[in-house]
Amino acid sequence: MAFFPRTDPGQFVINVKAPSGTRVELTENYVKQVEDIIRHAVPPSELAMVVSNIGVTPDFSAIYTPNSAPHTAFVQASLKEGHKVGSYEYMGRVREELSQNCRSSPLTFNPEAWLTQC
């Protein structure tokens, strides 16, 4: 019995973390790879947008974002209203492609905390 059944949020977020000290330009390359994999795994008819946020200025504003330095980023994918395939299925597809094509930096999926190497 589930008190809180799993619902489809219609979006997912991937947290990207390159090795500490990585320049923002290299982190951007990792993020481009992740974005390309998302666009390959989710058809254009289902994908509303992909938004990426790379790095952060190390000051007070850093407490409001999962990014902590130039080597961190997050990529958010939003599905179109009325999408036919659920976001958890797309997360699985993206995760599979990332595990095959991207092995140089750790990635975490939200809302479920799947961890893999990119």
Side-chain angles (χ1 to χ4, degrees):
M1 180 165 89
F3 290 107
F4 299 103
R6 185 157 108 172
T7 60
D8 183 2
Q11 64 181 2
F12 56 91
V13 177
I14 303 169
N15 294 317
V16 179
K17 184 176 180 185
S20 292
T22 301
R23 292 189 350 236
V24 72
E25 296 86 4
L26 295 175
T27 305
E28 182 179 12
N29 290 337
Y30 289 129
V31 169
K32 284 180 184 177
Q33 286 181 301
V34 173
E35 289 175 346
D36 289 344
I37 288 171
I38 291 170
R39 287 188 176 96
H40 182 260
V42 182
S45 61
E46 297 269 295
L47 186 63
M49 72 175 79
V50 177
V51 177
S52 300
N53 187 309
I54 304 168
V56 69
T57 304
D59 63 6
F60 187 70
S61 65
I63 65 172
Y64 299 107
T65 178
N67 294 345
S68 59
H71 69 284
T72 60
F74 64 87
V75 181
Q76 181 174 349
S78 295
L79 303 178
K80 290 183 178 177
E81 188 77 28
H83 55 277
K84 304 282 190 255
V85 177
S87 55
Y88 290 98
E89 171 65 26
Y90 284 130
M91 280 192 286
R93 293 178 189 181
V94 170
R95 181 176 183 243
E96 180 65 30
E97 282 198 48
L98 287 169
S99 68
Q100 293 174 9
N101 299 311
C102 217
R103 301 199 187 280
S104 56
S105 79
L107 300 173
T108 306
F109 281 78
N110 291 329
E112 290 186 359
W114 290 340
L115 185 64
T116 187
Q117 295 288 319
C118 176

